[in-house]
Amino acid sequence: MLPRISKAAVKAVLYFVLLYLVPSILISQLAEFAPDLFANYSQLLRLFVAVVIFFVVASELASGTIFQHAFNIGKAIILIIFYVLALDGGVISLNLNFESVPINIWADLRVYLMMLITIDLLGLAKGLLQAINFLSEKTELQVPTPQPAK
Amino acid sequence: MRQTIRALGWASNVFWIILLFFTVTAVYSAFQLRPGFGQPYESTSGGTFTVSLPFHIDNGGLYDISDVNLTTLIKDDYGLSVSNSSTFVRLIPHGSNVSATHQMSVSVSQIAAGNLWYLLLNDSTFNIDVALKLIYAHAVPFKISSNLTMPWGAPLSNLTLGTPSFTPTEAIIPISFENHSFFVLTGTMRLEIVDNHNNVVGERTTALNVQSQSGFGTELDVSVSGDPTNIREARLHFQTSVFNYGPLVIALV
């Protein structure tokens, strides 16, 4: 159990640095140019990192069991929902005020969203196949080997 | 089964690398865009006032920008369209600099001819919708828009006919207005006097040369045939270098 916990902790720290610290620094630098534009995204980033780290740690702790694959499948589904919600279905619109002039920014990121969803669908398919493979291997181990007839 | 799982894992990794590469390069390229505006200049021709705004986009990024469309829609207070201008640039390849000029035209003669004629008499505020649409990297449609306001000065603001005074053969009619517009009002103004039987019983044409942001006031002596006390209304016709307008009917009694 201890190696699993330490492995999960190392992964959590790595994901935290890669997915939170580095993007946070980038976002804070970009926010200097347009504070209104990036203000909401730091909150979304925190939520995204929390979801990913939860599933990575849970999956690691449950490794070697069917729950590992269940967590991977859950992660893929939750992230698809998260991406759709975070990107407003792929069409984002922001209203800003630049020196008291109202500015509306609109971007159609559906191609980008499709790419994200494709990646997560691949992860979902992989998780499902891993779960099926895990169960079939387990079943094979439980079935007694037929003995030759005497 | 194991090969399929491995293949899916590889495919997922490859997609992640492509997506990260696209994201990083797209953000980097966006910061390499150098849009700029030149000095705007104005011109007036045939009753049309045109503001030309030169602009250029230096695409120093890694991706092309296509279907760039800059539109300006000028509307009056009631939402009626005064002017709709559009400038289209098909493609700005990466590493190139494209220049264009956006022209916004306001046709005063069309204002006078259509249902916006009240703008000749009343100051107002124009709402200007500015929108820039483009497709970034042939994949991401993008639009940035804003709404501005601009004051409109009427060329015949506060047009007033004073109380006429009469002699046995003439009507003396004080007339005044202020030119709040951006152009010099040059041309003629014709005043017709109409009696109770709808007959034109007198008329007078006077020259106009009213500078922008200045007033005009005079007393017009109009010879009237018949009884001057029978007159009902005055009809004003303007023929200027920028617009023609008339008749503007004003009751005199």
Side-chain angles (χ1 to χ4, degrees), chain A residues 4-19 52-53 55-61 63 68 72 75:
Chain A
R4 273 193 212 168
I5 293 171
S6 50
K7 205 175 168 186
V10 169
K11 274 194 173 181
V13 170
L14 266 176
Y15 273 83
F16 181 77
V17 170
L18 283 175
L19 294 180
V52 170
I53 289 179
F55 278 107
V56 165
V57 169
S59 172
E60 196 57 50
L61 292 176
S63 66
Q68 178 189 16
N72 285 337
K75 184 178 84 174

Side-chain angles (χ1 to χ4, degrees), chain A:
Chain A
M1 189 65 183
L2 197 62
R4 273 193 212 168
I5 293 171
S6 50
K7 205 175 168 186
V10 169
K11 274 194 173 181
V13 170
L14 266 176
Y15 273 83
F16 181 77
V17 170
L18 283 175
L19 294 180
Y20 185 72
L21 284 185
V22 176
S24 287
I25 293 165
L26 285 174
I27 284 178
S28 64
Q29 284 180 346
L30 291 172
E32 286 174 17
F33 297 102
D36 296 343
L37 191 64
F38 294 98
N40 297 330
Y41 283 92
S42 54
Q43 205 174 349
L44 277 172
L45 181 70
R46 275 198 288 272
L47 184 63
F48 171 73
V49 172
V51 168
V52 170
I53 289 179
F54 167 77
F55 278 107
V56 165
V57 169
S59 172
E60 196 57 50
L61 292 176
S63 66
T65 68
I66 186 70
F67 293 110
Q68 178 189 16
H69 309 303
F71 279 123
N72 285 337
I73 292 166
K75 184 178 84 174
I77 293 169
I78 293 287
L79 283 182
I80 287 173
I81 296 167
F82 176 82
Y83 291 143
V84 172
L85 291 178
L87 293 175
D88 281 339
V91 179
I92 58 167
S93 180
L94 293 166
N95 292 307
L96 308 172
N97 264 308
F98 182 72
E99 292 177 357
S100 74
V101 176
I103 293 175
N104 179 261
I105 297 172
W106 176 92
D108 185 348
L109 300 174
R110 280 181 292 185
V111 172
Y112 196 77
L113 179 65
M114 286 272 284
M115 289 164 84
L116 282 169
I117 289 175
T118 305
I119 291 169
D120 273 315
L121 285 175
L122 285 174
L124 182 66
K126 187 184 162 193
L128 279 170
L129 287 179
Q130 279 176 325
I132 293 165
N133 187 47
F134 178 85
L135 288 175
S136 63
E137 279 181 357
K138 203 175 174 187
T139 311
E140 278 171 16
L141 284 174
Q142 285 171 350
V143 173
T145 315
Q147 297 295 318
K150 291 180 182 173

Side-chain angles (χ1 to χ4, degrees), chain A residues 106-112, chain B residues 22 26 29-30 33 57 59 62-70 87-94 131-144:
Chain A
W106 176 92
D108 185 348
L109 300 174
R110 280 181 292 185
V111 172
Y112 196 77
Chain B
F22 177 72
S29 298
L33 286 175
I57 299 174
N59 183 7
L62 302 166
Y63 297 105
D64 294 348
I65 298 170
S66 55
D67 297 347
V68 180
N69 197 358
L70 177 64
T87 304
F88 185 77
V89 180
R90 240 286 297 136
L91 184 70
I92 305 174
H94 62 279
L132 175 70
K133 291 181 200 170
L134 54 90
I135 297 176
Y136 187 68
H138 298 287
V140 180
F142 179 85
K143 183 176 138 184
I144 182 164

